[in-house]
Structures are given as structure tokens and as C-alpha cells.
Amino acid sequence: MGKEALSPARISTGIMLAMGISTELFQGCIGSDDGDRKRTVQVKPRLVRAEGIAAAAKTATIPTVSLEPDLHWSSGVSISSLRVPIKQISLHSAAFDHEADLYLCSGSSEACQVEMAGTAFQDALNAASRQVEMGQYDYVFVKTCEDSEGEYRTALTGSVPLDGKTWYTNAASVLDSVGPAAPVSITSHGCGRTYTLPHPLRITDSLGASVDFTLYFDIQELAYAALGSRKTAAAWTPGNCTGERPAETDAASPPFLCIGYPEVSGIISAAPAVLERYRVNGGSTIGMFFTADDIPLGGYTRRYYTEGVRIEPGFDALMALRNVRKNSDGTLFVDGFGPGGHAYDTTMSVFRAAAFSRANHTGTFTTMTEATLATSTVDYGAVRLTR
């Protein structure tokens, strides 16, 4: 894959990859040197689901809540299967003139689908180790389809309670009150995502001849569903929803199902990553990964819908987190990407909290909308969820 295909101009489409790696984990060298051959290390990529169980947010200071009994949408989708095509995972240098493939699948998109709803901490890739040349890597690329295809399909099987019934995914009608659940295909645009590592990954001699590179992800509240109506139309987004957008002129429309991006955070370590999740302003979720010794790895933001409740959390929780770092007082600086076409402008952020506490708390964050690019300050309440 050439430099043009992986240039930063392409990182606005496709899978959202939130990757954070601590510099302390990669000092020194790993690898071997056989005469004139380049020194390398065996790296085995692993993709595992972090374990966690969401608890209801019981206390929070949130914006005005509108109670609407006929508003049928919910993030309580129980996912039994989530198959996403992964065709390539690779590391790249800062200049995009050097790359190292960690994982390759040369089959069709269907043949390259990976089950992401498996047992927690079980490796979903089951890939062999690959030789990675020593050096510094600043980007990670995940490819989900061929450039000529322009889009990829995720297959989701699950159920959700809405309007007093259990609705099951259905290939013909998206949701049906008659089970069992069957896979539904959700089409997303773009074929890959290149992400800047917050700290360069230095593969050198001191860590050993073979290591695991583990990518952690979380599917809790990844999907949300709705019975179509004028009221639920705002939850439908192009590119990540299956079913038609509800018509503003119709009282009722067919149901729809939407999915966020299963952002991942990566680490070279035998110890599992720790996942912390927070409900922010009652209508969004922030998840953050940490190493076993409490170094931030990265994270995500997701929309959160509750049936019969309309909440405006104050920011559009669709993007991964660009930066998570500790402050001297133990709080976190939490920074999301910028809006729309300004995702990688570091002066812009959809969500930026300078002192995010790792417990129930209130505070303020700044946000910037795509429409005006104006920065505003928003009060928020955050509740730490039980895993």
C-alpha cells in the first residue's frame, strides 16, 4: 500500500480507530540481527473484547430531560453476534514511507469477517505472528474493504426491548417482534482508518524476540435501535444505520438500527487492559482504556438512548478520543477529535474536558459544532458505570 493510500487526507472515512500506546512500554530494543538482514521482532496481533457490564446511571446533573412515552429508541441492544470485515492491520512511520503488516486477510469481505461479540478477552483474530522490522511507528491502519468497493458491511444479530415488546434483528424488516434474531447487514462508507499514535511505538531490542500486540475494544451500547417516527428521526444517521430515515411528515415509519464504531486501543503487554465507562449528561457514554499499571491508552464516545426520554448531552458523541492523559492531581485531560472535516485540527474538539475525574462528578467541557465551528462551554454530570 502506497503513501498516497494512507495519507492523513484519507483518515476522515471508514472505521474509527482510537489507539493509545504508552512510551514507557516501548523503550529499548526487541529483535534479532542475522548478518545483513534487517533486525526484526515476531509480533502477534490479538483482538479482544474488554469485559464490562453497564449499570444504570442513578445520579447526575444533566440538562433538561423531556419525558415522552411515545418516544421509542434505546441503546439497550443485546448483541449476540457482530461480524466486521478486517482485511489488514498495519503500522506506519511518521512519513508514511515505511510500514509493517501485522495482519492480512486476502479473501472476500465476507470471508474476512471477524466475530467481535465473542467471549471477553478471547482473541478474535487467531492470527499468526509476523516479522516486524525494528524502528519507530507513528500510525496504525485498519482496512475493512478494498478501495474499489468504497464501503463495507457489518453483520449484527441481536434484540432490543421497545414499546413493551422484544424486537429481534430481521434481514427483511430490520426489526421484528417475532424471533429468532437473524443477521442484519449495516453498510458503512470508507475502507479504512489511519490513526496517529499518541506516543510513537518504538520496536527495539529490550522487550524480547516475540511479543503480543493486543487491540482492545468494547461493544457495550455500540448499537441502538428505534421504532420509526418523527420523534426518532434525529437518531438516524447516514452511513451507519440500516433502514430508511423516518419521514418527518409521517406519524410512523419502519424501524431502524444503527451502529457506532468499535474503536480499539492497543498495547504490548501480557496484562489485560482496564476499561472505565462514564455516562455523561445522561445521553452519551465515554469509555477509556488503561494499562494494568494505570497508563491511559485511549477511548471512545457513544450516543446513549433511553426509551421515553429525550436528552441533549451537549455534544455529538460519535468520535473516538484523540488524547487521554493524566493531570498531576489524578484527573484526566480528555480530548476528542474535531467536527466534520476538521477532525485532525488539534485546536478543535467535539469534547474537551481539562479535569475529568474518575468518579461521579460534575464539571464543564468545551465543544465545537460542525455548523458554526464556534466553541461553547457546557456543564456536565458524569457517573462512573459498573463494569
Side-chain angles (χ1 to χ4, degrees), residues 253-274:
S253 301
F256 61 91
L257 177 72
C258 303
I259 189 171
Y261 295 99
E263 294 93 70
V264 298
S265 292
I267 182 177
I268 290 182
S269 175
V274 176

Side-chain angles (χ1 to χ4, degrees), residues 287-300:
M288 291 177 283
F289 295 95
F290 298 84
T291 66
D293 53 352
D294 211 38
I295 298 170
L297 289 174
Y300 62 82

Side-chain angles (χ1 to χ4, degrees), residues 4 15 21 30 44 66 79 81 91 100 113 127 132 135 157 169 240-241 244 267 286 299 357 365 375 377:
E4 180 179 357
I15 190 169
I21 299 177
I30 52 178
K44 177 180 172 60
S66 173
I79 300 174
S81 177
L91 299 169
Q113 283 185 332
V132 173
T157 306
T169 54
N240 289 79
C241 293
E244 297 297 323
I267 182 177
I286 289 181
S357 297
F365 65 81
T375 299
T377 300

